Amino acid sequence: MSSKRKFTIGIDFGAEAAQAVLVDVNNGKVAAASVYKYPHGVIKDKLPESGVELDANWAVQHPNDYINALKRTVPKLMSESNIDPEQIIGIGTDFAGSTVIPTTADGTPLALLDEYKDDPHAWPKFYKHSAAQEKADRLTQIAADRFETFLDRYGGKISSEWFFPKVWELYDDSSHLYNAADRLIEASDWIVWQLTGVETRNLCAAGFKAFWSKSEGFPLETFFSAMDPDLQNVVDQKMKREISPLGQQAGELTETAAKWMKLNPGIPVATGLLDRHAAVPAASVAEPGNMALILGTNFTHMVLSNKEYRVPGMCGMVEDGIVPGLIAYEAGQSGSGDHFAWFMNNALPSSYHSEARKLKISIFDLMEKKAAALEPAESGLVALDWWNGNRSILVDSDLSGLILGYSLATKPEEIYRALLEATIFGTRKIFETFIASGVPINEIIVTGGDPARNNLLLNILANVTRMEIKVADCPYTSALGAAMYAAVAAGESRGGYATIQEASKKLSRLRSKSFIPNNNDKKTYNRLYSEYTLLHDYFGYGHNNAMKRLKNLRDGILEKKTSD
Amino acid sequence: MSSKRKFTIGIDFGAEAAQAVLVDVNNGKVAAASVYKYPHGVIKDKLPESGVELDANWAVQHPNDYINALKRTVPKLMSESNIDPEQIIGIGTDFAGSTVIPTTADGTPLALLDEYKDDPHAWPKFYKHSAAQEKADRLTQIAADRFETFLDRYGGKISSEWFFPKVWELYDDSSHLYNAADRLIEASDWIVWQLTGVETRNLCAAGFKAFWSKSEGFPLETFFSAMDPDLQNVVDQKMKREISPLGQQAGELTETAAKWMKLNPGIPVATGLLDRHAAVPAASVAEPGNMALILGTNFTHMVLSNKEYRVPGMCGMVEDGIVPGLIAYEAGQSGSGDHFAWFMNNALPSSYHSEARKLKISIFDLMEKKAAALEPAESGLVALDWWNGNRSILVDSDLSGLILGYSLATKPEEIYRALLEATIFGTRKIFETFIASGVPINEIIVTGGDPARNNLLLNILANVTRMEIKVADCPYTSALGAAMYAAVAAGESRGGYATIQEASKKLSRLRSKSFIPNNNDKKTYNRLYSEYTLLHDYFGYGHNNAMKRLKNLRDGILEKKTSD
């Protein structure tokens, strides 16, 4: 048996689907892949069955979708690859988060109990659930008033996407349900609990989404009681204070879970982690000085470093958060992919759609082609990419987008290119902030969704950052990353790896084509970037607070309209 | 016969057509109207017949189109209205200008002579001909270096659209043709010459387009010799130093011209004038403190005043320029109507076009409807309307457009409304500059093309300026104005009027519906206008010269591309 090849399974739980891969532990080749589209996806309007309506900004998921994903994908991996279950040496999972699930003591989601299923708060609140914004704002204020040291690690601002705003919302809006919940568990830990019967709390989600740090642990009880005296002991009552490092074995596959997946029980299951963080080692980023740039609806920038520096405007900074022994920094650009889509949907004349149809290419491809035919600065446009505010480095959701330089000759492809460029100027701003704060960046590796396949965008990225841009050669980097952590959890003795660095080195691959800056474009982009910086600082640092004033005015009008 | 009603004819020579009207001198009613579309229109590519190609930025017209317009329209007016030619007491014309025609001593355009017709410089250079931009810039420099007092009256900048840049271009690029031209005549005077056999030079075109003023006359010979020694005596050699006031009789209709139009010879013909200026009394603006706002591809603002003030950023300031005895100020917003068209053509998704088709309305009407449903400031957007630079009050063609406040929720109708608002903020800036300079404005009356029929735009105009906006009730105000000047040239003895004020009072009409500001919108627009002003001053007064730098960069790249 030992001569046979070894495999691990990685399962990535996203917004609308779960993606599973079977990975050859020797060379990283994906032997089989299977995707399961959730029947419920992200639920924003009505609860399933009961039809209870959800308020604005709600976003929940169905726990059964998660379990069904296990049942549907893994057996497919096995049948397609036709390998022996004995060859599976580990299972790893990653999850979008913070997704918070209130459960009974045995891990049963309250959403699945008749008693609670009509209460929206019983359901797993998906990370994009932003109804707790007011709680997030108050938490930021409490933390600032108390001079909490953790606040700096999160760019000075707590997001509604994180763990404790959702917990506080649950307590405040449905206290009987808060009391009924024996456990408040992160989805990335809940799924591991289902696989192993063991409740763990992974370092990645605790560090990036729940204020935990290796040196300081969770905030003090006095912090939680400042929210509400009843929440003082939330960690000890509803969570686990003990944190599981990444790449560790959380437990072994139970009989039940093995049956779901047609696997053998006893297989090591790795500690859970967050989806974008799992993508990092899969994108060959596991050493200090490397940045993984994950391009999706948002852009995420993960940087590894030996040392701890305070970098302004981060989304999080977590020791051991991705690779044990290294500090992981996360920065973000909010809505970057979204505003390209906004442009395509809202600002393209019909003749462009006809042209795309005639050429039998997508409108995205047509626009990339047209925009790529332009030279930098040929449009005379420069933009600020703040359609959804600015996360890093300004941490200001009240900022908005700007385009400057319109003339009667301005063409749609020129605007599109200006939006791409502005986004990458925002990336350079983050990049420079890391470097200026003491964190070196020697290499940038790109992975992610549609934007990661946009050659023009990657070209601009190379010329604006003046770095060679490498691209991960795997369409499912998160699932591949989960499989890598599984190989580490399995350990060398079973044919896996001792460290995630080693696994990353052996199992990740880059595309042969990288993007190299050219001297001419570099120079032009330096000039355009200086224009971006002037506008960035003028509007971003409050020299002219027009964006905030306009937003205030707008919010007032919309509120009045709704109340009328 | 004297009991019969009296009429005058007004003919407006535009870019693509001539519009003639027959006006009842008693009440201003248009008894008949006729339009003649020029077969040649504005010629930009090739000369007629010879096919000689024109360079970039050229724009010429065909003199025969002008004469044919007389032959086609006036007989139609007569046959349709079925009045006796005896009832016509005067003829008036207005012309787009400065349109410069080189002619022989008897007024024959060189373009009609075999010897010269293949030389583009022989043709009437339409006012939009902008190939003499370099000459205009050099003229501005010469005038500034010489501290010419006239420069202030033109906002400190000479336009390529005006008379002398075109003359200098003719001399420099085709000196034999310059020498062959006995006369260099403004089209608004040429047409009067054709009608009367008398060469005149009208005060309106001389004042607004050729540096002439009542107090100072033309610039000194030393100014012209600074262009070129050969041009020192251009006024005395090729033009007329004597200037004809408006509303004067230039001459009587000749036998030949009477035959063209099936009229009686001997009818008084009024001094010519420019088209937009003719529209002013026809829009009921003939008294001090009134502003005529002429909305077309450009916006033109004509204000009458008792006194002479230096108002920054004007297009011209001419004593007696529209109404004898009053100072006429002209301000302008360049490309205002054009950039609405730009938006419709370049930034609307196809779904909007489908919706318009389904509703069987034009896309302009659909957008007006959608944008009108919004409240001021609801979009969160504010724009700078500088798609074609800024004429008044910044006099800077290197400025460009800007939109601020984009979010992922921004809709096309919100952008459209922001463009309308920005344009009107630009109008308020001009309005305030007049007032701050000492020129009162008590009334605003709108006339013009499509934008003058945009109720939303007029509504915004009322609320932003905080003034009642009245609208001229005539679709052909320029032609009506020409007919008014004809009635003054005919004089009281023939049944006309003594002054243009009197003619304006009797013959112009306003629509019964005016646009009244409302308190709520006025307040909101004051807040938005303060945002516009901050941006206007920041980018317009050089605190951040991004627009100029980007334009320079762009021009360099385009130049290199062309030369490659």
Side-chain angles (χ1 to χ4, degrees), chain B residues 388-550:
Chain B
N388 198 29
N390 178 295
R391 177 68 215 196
S392 305
I393 56 171
L394 299 170
V395 195
D396 193 338
S397 57
D398 292 338
L399 296 174
S400 53
L402 174 147
I403 301 178
L404 177 151
Y406 285 109
S407 79
L408 294 173
T410 299
K411 295 193 204 86
E413 57 267 34
E414 294 181 327
I415 300 173
Y416 176 58
R417 185 167 178 135
L419 296 185
L420 296 181
E421 289 170 349
T423 306
I424 299 302
F425 291 150
T427 307
R428 174 161 164 185
K429 200 54 78 188
I430 290 168
F431 182 83
E432 287 183 349
T433 302
F434 273 115
I435 292 169
S437 305
V439 181
I441 298 177
N442 306 316
E443 197 159 76
I444 300 180
I445 296 164
V446 161
T447 183
D450 285 331
R453 284 179 281 281
N454 184 327
N455 286 332
L456 173 60
L457 186 78
L458 299 182
N459 222 329
I460 294 170
L461 180 62
N463 284 307
V464 168
T465 58
R466 298 161 298 173
M467 301 267 288
E468 179 182 357
I469 303 299
K470 297 174 179 173
V471 185
D473 190 24
C474 174
Y476 345 91
T477 34
S478 289
L480 174 61
M484 287 182 183
Y485 283 103
V488 179
E492 286 181 296
S493 61
R494 287 188 190 81
Y497 295 96
T499 65
I500 188 69
Q501 279 106 323
E502 226 178 284
S504 170
K505 202 171 286 171
K506 287 283 176 62
L507 305 184
S508 70
R509 261 197 301 269
L510 296 175
R511 278 194 228 159
S512 57
K513 179 182 160 49
S514 69
F515 294 80
I516 316 272
N518 75 64
N519 274 324
N520 200 28
D521 286 5
K522 259 163 59 178
K523 273 187 211 156
T524 311
Y525 276 131
N526 267 346
R527 295 178 68 172
L528 289 181
Y529 180 67
S530 72
E531 300 298 345
Y532 177 88
T533 297
L534 268 177
L535 297 171
H536 174 281
D537 293 355
Y538 180 66
F539 291 107
Y541 289 127
H543 300 292
N544 182 343
N545 267 330
M547 292 166 181
K548 287 164 195 283
R549 289 188 298 264
L550 289 166

Side-chain angles (χ1 to χ4, degrees), chain A residues 378 401 405-406 531 549 561, chain B residues 378 401 405-406 410 531 549 561:
Chain A
E378 184 179 337
Y406 285 110
E531 300 299 344
R549 289 187 299 264
K561 266 203 164 174
Chain B
E378 183 179 337
Y406 285 109
T410 299
E531 300 298 345
R549 289 188 298 264
K561 266 203 166 176

Side-chain angles (χ1 to χ4, degrees), chain A residues 18-83:
Chain A
Q19 171 73 56
V21 292
L22 180 72
V23 176
D24 187 323
V25 177
N26 192 45
N27 55 23
K29 276 194 185 152
V30 174
S34 169
V35 68
Y36 173 70
K37 209 175 165 310
Y38 298 153
H40 302 93
V42 179
I43 302 162
K44 292 179 169 176
D45 299 327
K46 287 177 189 178
L47 292 183
E49 292 177 48
S50 70
V52 170
E53 289 199 13
L54 299 176
D55 286 339
N57 302 317
W58 270 69
V60 301
Q61 288 192 318
H62 199 313
N64 286 345
D65 284 353
Y66 307 149
I67 299 300
N68 287 328
L70 298 174
K71 294 180 180 171
R72 297 293 195 88
T73 58
V74 178
K76 248 192 203 162
L77 297 182
M78 299 308 292
S79 63
E80 273 181 24
S81 61
N82 205 20
I83 67 163

Side-chain angles (χ1 to χ4, degrees), chain B residues 292-307:
Chain B
L293 188 45
I294 304 164
L295 310 182
T297 53
N298 303 320
F299 283 12
T300 305
H301 322 67
M302 306 281 196
V303 178
L304 300 175
S305 167
N306 281 316
K307 286 197 189 161

Side-chain angles (χ1 to χ4, degrees), chain A residues 335 338-339 342 345-350 353 373-382 386-388 400-412 414-415 524 527-528 531 534-535 538-539 544 546-547 549-550 553-554 557-558 561, chain B residues 335 338-339 342 345-350 353 373-382 386-388 400-412 414-415 524 527-528 531 534-535 538-539 544 546-547 549-550 553-554 557-558 561:
Chain A
D338 286 339
H339 89 297
W342 173 89
N345 293 331
N346 288 283
L348 274 190
S350 46
H353 290 279
L374 300 166
E375 286 192 36
E378 184 179 337
S379 69
L381 297 169
V382 69
W386 302 341
W387 263 245
N388 198 29
S400 53
L402 174 145
I403 301 177
L404 177 150
Y406 285 110
S407 80
L408 293 173
T410 299
K411 296 194 202 84
E414 294 181 327
I415 300 172
T524 311
R527 295 177 69 171
L528 289 182
E531 300 299 344
L534 268 176
L535 296 170
Y538 179 65
F539 290 107
N544 181 344
M547 292 165 181
R549 289 187 299 264
L550 289 166
L553 212 49
R554 171 172 201 253
I557 288 166
L558 292 180
K561 266 203 164 174
Chain B
D338 286 339
H339 89 298
W342 174 90
N345 292 331
N346 289 283
L348 274 189
S350 46
H353 290 279
L374 301 166
E375 287 191 37
E378 183 179 337
S379 70
L381 297 169
V382 69
W386 301 340
W387 262 245
N388 198 29
S400 53
L402 174 147
I403 301 178
L404 177 151
Y406 285 109
S407 79
L408 294 173
T410 299
K411 295 193 204 86
E414 294 181 327
I415 300 173
T524 311
R527 295 178 68 172
L528 289 181
E531 300 298 345
L534 268 177
L535 297 171
Y538 180 66
F539 291 107
N544 182 343
M547 292 166 181
R549 289 188 298 264
L550 289 166
L553 211 48
R554 171 171 202 253
I557 287 165
L558 292 180
K561 266 203 166 176

Side-chain angles (χ1 to χ4, degrees), chain A residues 349-364 366, chain B residues 350-351 354 357:
Chain A
S350 46
S351 59
Y352 280 62
H353 290 279
S354 318
E355 191 176 343
R357 272 193 303 272
K358 204 175 288 173
L359 295 171
K360 294 193 172 102
I361 58 178
S362 75
I363 188 73
F364 268 94
L366 177 75
Chain B
S350 46
S351 59
S354 318
R357 272 193 302 273

